[in-house]
Amino acid sequence: MQRISIAPRNNWQQTVEALGFGFHTADVPYWDESAYYAFTLPEIEKLEGVTSDLWEMCLQAVQYVIDKNLFAQFKIPEFIVPHIIDTWNNDAPAIYGRFDLCYDGIKEPKLLEFNADTPTSVFEASIIQWFWLKDFDEPKDQFNSLHEKLIAYWKYLKDYLYADKLYFTCVKDVLEDFTTTAYLQDCAMQGGLDTAFIYINDIGWDNNNQFFVDLDKQPIRNIFKLYPYEWMVNESFGKNLPIDTLKANWIEPSWKMVLSNKAILPILWQLFPYHKNLLPAYFTRSNLKDYVKKPLLSREGANITIVENENIIAGSDGSYGEEGFIYQEFCKLPEFNGNFPVIGSWVVGQEPAGIGIRESNGLITDNLSRFIPHLIL
Amino acid sequence: MKKSNAISLVLVAGLLGCNRPHERNRLFLRTDTTGGYTPATAGYHGYYVFRPYGTYYAGTYYRQGYSNAGVHSSEESISRGGFGGSEGFHVSSSS
C-alpha cells in the first residue's frame, strides 16, 4: 500500500461535475486527486476476504443480540424492538453497508466500525474514482464492482419487495445526500425496478388506514431511506413504524440498527475474542491503556476521545454521547506524510464490492476528510 | 474487479448534469422551503426542485416526485412532516 502524489487532471472539477458530482469541494476539498493509493493484488484480496468474514460475523452478532435480548445495551427504544426482530426473522431486503478498516498493507486490517444503516460516499467510490482511473491509467484495475453489484442486487431484490413502486427518500436541501440517494435510485432503475422519489419530510401518514403515503396519498410499501433509524425512532412518525398496516419494506431494514450502533463492537469482541480483524472493545474502559472512547451513535467523527498512556492525544466535539459510550483499543491509523487514511470496504447484498478511501490530517476521520482514489498495481 | 467498461447513469445523468451542456449542469436547490413553488418549467432536466420533476430513461419519462410538502395540506386524514425533523443534521460522507 503506497500513497503516490500526482497532478490532478486539468479541469477535473468540470469532469466530475459532468458525472453529477456537485459536492466535490466544500469549505475544504472533499474529492482530492492530488494523490492516490496503490495496492497490490494480495493486499486487495486481503481486504476482500476480511470484509466477507466481518459480514458473516456481523450476521451472527445480530442473531446473538436478538437471542439474548441485548437491545438495552444498544439503547434501542423498546417500542421498535419487535419491528427489528420481525425484519430480521423475515429476512427483510437490505442492500449495502460499509466497514471502516484500519489497514496499512502489512498488518491485519482491523474493524473500526460498521456503517450499516446509512453509509454514504458510495457514489464517489463507485463512479467518480472509477472514471478517474479511466482517465489516469486506463489499463489499471480498481477494487470496485459497486455499480454492477448494486444493479444486480436491486434486480435480485425485486422478488422480495411488494409488487409496487420503490420510493427513495432523503432530507431536503443537502446535495450530498440527494446525490447518493439519486445514485442508488439510478441503480435500482437499471435493475428494472419501478421507482419514485419523495423527500423525507414529505412522507405522509394516513391516520385512517394507518400506513405511510406519498404526496398523491398513494400507499408506500417499499422505501429506501438515506435517513438514520436513530433519528426516525425519535421523531413523531417513528412510533408508526411498528403499527404500519402495510408493513412497508424500509431499506435498510430496522435490524441494521443493531449493526450501525457502536455497541456491536463489544458484542463482536465477546463473540469472537482475539479475532485477528477485531480490536478489543468493551462497554467500560476495562483494562485498556490506549483506547478510543466512542459514542454509541455518532457521525462525522464527533465526540471521539483518543487516549494513549493516560493522555488524551486527540478529541472531537459534537452533540452525541447521550446514549453512552463504548471503549475500543486504539489502533493508530497508518500515516503517509501527515495523511491518515481509513479504508471504507463495501458490502453489497452479501458480497464485498469495493473500497473507498477517506483521508484526514489527524487520527480522527471527521467531516473534513478527503476522498482519495485508488488503483491496483 | 469491474466486469464491464460500460458504466452508465440514467437518472443521475438527467438530474445532476451528466453529458449535458455546462449551463444546464447547475443544481437548483430550494433553501426557502416555506416559499411558494415556481411552476414546472424547462423540461425534464434541471429544475428538479420544482414539482413535478423526473427524467427520461429508455424513452420513458419517470417522474421523480414532488417537492412541496404543502400540496395536500388540506387532507384531514393525512399527517405530514413526522420524519425529517432532525434539523441541522444530514447524512454525511463520514457516516
Side-chain angles (χ1 to χ4, degrees):
Chain A
M1 179 179 175
Q2 305 169 63
R3 185 185 192 278
I4 299 169
S5 295
I6 52 170
R9 290 169 291 180
N10 290 332
N11 299 318
W12 65 266
Q13 293 91 341
Q14 281 183 301
T15 302
V16 300
E17 284 168 14
L19 293 167
F21 188 34
F23 54 99
H24 53 76
T25 306
D27 296 334
V28 292
Y30 170 55
W31 170 259
D32 184 354
E33 57 178 69
S34 65
Y36 68 90
Y37 282 90
F39 294 87
T40 63
L41 188 57
E43 289 167 347
I44 290 295
E45 288 170 343
K46 166 64 74 177
L47 289 169
E48 186 176 28
V50 167
T51 301
S52 185
D53 292 346
L54 289 172
W55 175 241
E56 282 300 319
M57 291 156 62
C58 282
L59 295 179
Q60 292 181 49
V62 175
Q63 187 66 62
Y64 178 79
V65 170
I66 290 173
D67 290 347
K68 302 293 183 187
N69 190 23
L70 300 177
F71 295 100
Q73 288 187 293
F74 289 68
K75 301 293 165 52
I76 290 174
E78 284 183 23
F79 80 86
I80 198 68
V81 169
H83 192 267
I84 292 173
I85 296 172
D86 274 356
T87 60
W88 174 254
N89 289 337
N90 294 329
D91 202 12
I95 185 77
Y96 69 166
R98 192 194 75 224
F99 292 102
D100 282 350
L101 305 174
C102 177
Y103 185 52
D104 62 2
I106 300 167
K107 297 191 285 290
E108 282 288 333
K110 300 286 187 182
L111 174 64
L112 300 172
E113 60 188 57
F114 186 27
N115 299 280
D117 181 18
T118 55
T120 53
S121 76
V122 66
F123 180 61
E124 303 89 289
S126 176
I127 297 297
I128 305 303
Q129 71 167 344
W130 177 252
F131 281 102
W132 166 83
L133 181 66
K134 297 288 99 181
D135 284 345
F136 178 69
D137 198 348
E138 168 78 38
K140 289 285 195 311
D141 206 349
Q142 197 173 72
F143 182 20
N144 184 359
S145 56
L146 278 158
H147 192 69
E148 294 88 339
K149 284 197 166 79
L150 284 167
I151 293 171
Y153 207 72
W154 279 125
K155 191 174 184 179
Y156 168 78
L157 286 182
K158 190 174 182 180
D159 290 341
Y160 295 88
L161 300 173
Y162 296 113
D164 204 343
K165 202 168 285 190
L166 170 61
Y167 290 83
F168 286 78
T169 191
C170 67
V171 296
K172 282 181 179 171
D173 298 342
V174 179
L175 181 57
E176 182 173 350
D177 291 8
F178 182 81
T179 303
T180 300
T181 307
Y183 173 61
L184 288 160
Q185 184 179 356
D186 192 314
C187 292
M189 286 171 63
Q190 295 191 59
L193 278 72
D194 180 17
T195 68
F197 181 87
I198 184 170
Y199 283 116
I200 189 89
N201 53 350
D202 285 345
I203 292 172
W205 175 253
D206 185 323
N207 292 287
N208 292 339
N209 294 305
Q210 303 279 288
F211 52 65
F212 293 101
V213 295
D214 68 8
L215 282 166
D216 289 331
K217 296 192 293 181
Q218 296 303 303
I220 294 175
R221 295 185 174 89
N222 309 299
I223 182 164
F224 169 90
K225 63 176 187 59
L226 192 69
Y227 196 75
Y229 276 109
E230 66 261 26
W231 299 353
M232 292 172 72
V233 298
N234 287 311
E235 295 178 352
S236 64
F237 277 4
K239 294 238 171 3
N240 297 339
L241 289 167
I243 62 171
D244 175 7
T245 54
L246 295 179
K247 294 186 180 297
N249 286 311
W250 288 83
I251 302 172
E252 297 297 304
S254 61
W255 63 260
K256 285 291 195 79
M257 287 182 78
V258 175
L259 293 178
S260 61
N261 188 306
K262 306 292 190 304
I264 199 63
L265 298 170
I267 297 293
L268 283 167
W269 187 248
Q270 285 174 31
L271 286 175
F272 307 98
Y274 303 100
H275 188 283
K276 64 186 189 314
N277 302 119
L278 296 178
L279 293 163
Y282 307 96
F283 287 101
T284 62
R285 181 185 159 181
S286 189
N287 59 351
L288 293 172
K289 274 182 61 186
D290 305 331
Y291 61 89
V292 183
K293 182 183 174 187
K294 298 180 174 180
L296 295 186
L297 304 168
S298 74
R299 294 176 178 274
E300 299 179 329
N303 300 98
I304 302 284
T305 306
I306 302 179
V307 175
E308 194 171 37
N309 293 322
E310 306 291 340
N311 297 312
I312 296 176
I313 61 167
S316 56
D317 296 328
S319 55
Y320 299 95
E322 185 182 341
E323 294 84 2
F325 295 83
I326 62 99
Y327 299 77
Q328 185 185 48
E329 186 176 85
F330 177 43
C331 176
K332 190 171 184 180
L333 294 174
E335 180 180 355
F336 296 83
N337 296 324
N339 302 294
F340 298 84
V342 167
I343 310 288
S345 188
W346 290 91
V347 170
V348 173
Q350 312 295 321
E351 296 179 359
I355 59 170
I357 300 169
R358 283 169 304 128
E359 191 182 75
S360 292
N361 295 330
L363 294 170
I364 297 174
T365 305
D366 57 16
N367 61 356
L368 301 178
S369 63
R370 307 171 294 276
F371 193 103
I372 312 288
H374 80 278
L375 56 74
I376 304 173
L377 292 170
Chain B
M1 296 290 170
K2 284 272 187 191
K3 297 176 183 62
S4 161
N5 283 328
I7 300 296
S8 62
L9 297 170
V10 295
L11 176 62
V12 174
L15 290 178
L16 297 173
C18 294
N19 305 317
R20 289 196 286 113
H22 183 62
E23 62 270 23
R24 287 180 169 174
N25 284 352
R26 290 186 57 197
L27 182 64
F28 295 86
L29 281 173
R30 284 191 66 85
T31 53
D32 174 13
T33 55
T34 61
Y37 279 78
T38 306
T41 55
Y44 74 92
H45 46 249
Y47 307 103
Y48 76 85
V49 296
F50 306 132
R51 63 182 172 84
Y53 54 88
T55 190
Y56 281 97
Y57 175 46
T60 304
Y61 180 80
Y62 287 84
R63 192 185 69 200
Q64 275 296 98
Y66 299 90
S67 61
N68 187 348
V71 172
H72 295 285
S73 58
S74 64
E75 298 159 356
E76 292 177 0
S77 68
I78 308 292
S79 307
R80 297 194 190 275
F83 283 141
S86 298
E87 291 182 16
F89 294 99
H90 65 95
V91 182
S92 79
S93 58
S94 297
S95 58

